[in-house]
Amino acid sequence: MKEFGQKHNKVTKNNTISPPEPVLRVSPWWLSPGASVTLSCEVEHVSAGWSFYWYKAVPDLSHKSGSYSYELLPASSNGTADNSYIIHGQTHTAGYVCRAGRGEPHFYTLYSQPHFVWSGDLHPSASLSVSPDRVQHFTSDSVSLSCEGNSAEWRVSRFLLPDFLSFCSDWGTMNGSTCHVQKIQSSNAVYWCESGSAFSNAVNITGHYDDELLLLSPVHPVTEGHSVTLGCKLRTENLLSKVFFYQNDTIIQSESRVEMIIPAVSKSHEGFYKCQSSGKESPQSWLAVTSTSRLDSSSFPVLVVGPVCVFLLMIFPLMFYFCKKSKDSSSIRLVLFRFY
């Protein structure tokens, strides 16, 4: 497990000071439509003269322990005088690294530990699914994390909030493209898949002790107009008494049912949810809602190309028919002319 945090310079056996390791900050952690991502590179005892270099972290699956290669981001080859860097238009999960340098010849710091910005949106090239499909789990639960997409080799990564990165080989068993976890750690963590060229969507999974009350909510964002079912569960009881459901700390249902069904989700349903029953209260989890306008914009080419193709398939035979008919008619007129 790799620990993230500020590290002081170390004195080697030769009484030389080892290069400092900068700390990279990423804001925000979770992507939202249209939002930019800001990277900040912090160097201990910062002073004038530093240039900052910014990199994209590319998964390197050749090392079982988990590592990354680094690719310079645009306009970063000569370094930036500012210790912050803004990325526009980021839509997928991604990892970043920074380092600093100064002087002639250039003295470089170490590379920072990689930090990530996450997207919950599913993508065909790389996607992560969870079974059972929920955010909150008991620590005694077994969970499967499955990777799908355009790759034959995967690894599953976990960022244990606030600042620990590890991989399936540290806390589970990787079998093909699926990571099997026998017991979920009592924690709040983000999981995602990595191939040699891509990151999948990320999911938030929390582990809770067996005597706690859990909210059952989907791990992936829900699309507008779709239905969603929320539940409330105790490890020791299959049937709960009266259950209260809350959205953003406001009660929205108090019935004897252990489930709450929202038949058609809208953006107004996005928020933090929790439930209460039997004198217990569950932790809260975020329910994300994906706007249909985002899906419509991505499917626009399909909607346009489809009718055009159908039109062309219909018109081509007619064009061929009239063209052939016109040619035959011309041949007849030519024969008649010669005859006369």
Side-chain angles (χ1 to χ4, degrees):
M1 183 175 290
K2 301 178 180 179
E3 180 176 352
F4 290 72
Q6 182 64 56
K7 298 182 180 179
H8 297 284
N9 296 358
K10 295 181 180 179
V11 178
T12 65
K13 293 181 180 180
N14 297 326
N15 292 324
T16 58
I17 298 177
S18 63
E21 180 180 344
V23 175
L24 178 65
R25 310 288 183 191
V26 177
S27 179
W29 281 359
W30 287 93
L31 289 169
S32 57
S36 59
V37 177
T38 300
L39 310 180
S40 299
C41 197
E42 301 175 5
V43 180
E44 193 177 21
H45 307 305
V46 67
S47 59
W50 287 106
S51 295
F52 296 88
Y53 300 84
W54 311 93
Y55 303 84
K56 177 176 69 174
V58 179
D60 183 359
L61 273 60
S62 62
H63 294 80
K64 291 184 179 180
S65 60
S67 61
Y68 300 87
S69 59
Y70 307 137
E71 294 181 0
L72 275 167
L73 291 174
S76 179
S77 58
N78 295 323
T80 62
D82 195 349
N83 73 330
S84 63
Y85 184 95
I86 298 177
I87 299 170
H88 300 283
Q90 182 66 45
T91 57
H92 297 176
T93 299
Y96 299 101
V97 169
C98 75
R99 70 170 173 169
R102 66 178 178 182
E104 290 295 340
H106 234 32
F107 166 81
Y108 288 101
T109 66
L110 299 174
Y111 290 98
S112 72
Q113 297 286 356
H115 270 250
F116 301 88
V117 57
W118 299 301
S119 169
D121 293 343
L122 292 167
H123 297 283
S125 60
S127 64
L128 168 65
S129 59
V130 181
S131 180
D133 179 13
R134 62 176 189 256
V135 175
Q136 298 179 12
H137 297 263
F138 294 110
T139 52
S140 58
D141 286 345
S142 60
V143 177
S144 295
L145 308 163
S146 299
C147 306
E148 295 182 3
N150 304 330
S151 179
E153 188 176 3
W154 298 94
R155 72 181 177 204
V156 177
S157 303
R158 180 180 74 182
F159 194 85
L160 190 62
L161 300 175
D163 52 14
F164 290 94
L165 174 67
S166 60
F167 302 92
C168 179
S169 56
D170 300 318
W171 33 262
T173 303
M174 199 73 190
N175 184 9
S177 60
T178 300
C179 176
H180 299 281
V181 186
Q182 291 301 316
K183 291 185 177 181
I184 286 290
Q185 185 176 347
S186 176
S187 61
N188 182 7
V190 180
Y191 296 79
W192 67 93
C193 297
E194 296 177 356
S195 68
S197 59
F199 293 85
S200 75
N201 59 297
V203 298
N204 188 219
I205 294 178
T206 59
H208 306 274
Y209 295 113
D210 286 1
D211 60 349
E212 294 186 58
L213 181 69
L214 296 192
L215 172 75
L216 307 182
S217 61
V219 73
H220 296 299
V222 182
T223 304
E224 277 187 318
H226 290 201
S227 66
V228 66
T229 300
L230 304 179
C232 204
K233 181 179 178 62
L234 272 173
R235 184 76 177 178
T236 54
E237 295 183 36
N238 292 326
L239 186 62
L240 296 175
S241 57
K242 194 170 186 179
V243 176
F244 300 86
F245 286 94
Y246 293 79
Q247 179 189 8
N248 299 327
D249 291 324
T250 300
I251 190 167
I252 52 176
Q253 178 176 296
S254 56
E255 299 180 8
S256 58
R257 293 178 298 174
V258 297
E259 291 183 338
M260 184 186 76
I261 300 174
I262 304 175
V265 171
S266 67
K267 287 296 286 185
S268 65
H269 292 112
E270 191 168 72
F272 286 102
Y273 287 79
K274 65 181 178 181
C275 63
Q276 288 180 345
S277 182
S278 305
K280 293 177 178 288
E281 181 177 285
S282 75
Q284 63 180 7
S285 287
W286 178 261
L287 178 67
V289 177
T290 301
S291 172
T292 52
S293 61
R294 293 169 62 188
L295 299 177
D296 291 343
S297 63
S298 64
S299 60
F300 176 76
V302 176
L303 295 175
V304 172
V305 171
V308 170
C309 290
V310 172
F311 174 77
L312 291 175
L313 288 173
M314 293 174 63
I315 201 67
F316 276 154
L318 291 173
M319 292 174 63
F320 177 78
Y321 170 76
F322 286 115
C323 181
K324 186 175 185 302
K325 186 176 181 181
S326 175
K327 183 178 180 181
D328 292 343
S329 177
S330 299
S331 298
I332 292 172
R333 287 197 298 271
L334 181 61
V335 170
L336 291 174
F337 174 78
R338 288 180 177 177
F339 178 78
Y340 287 107

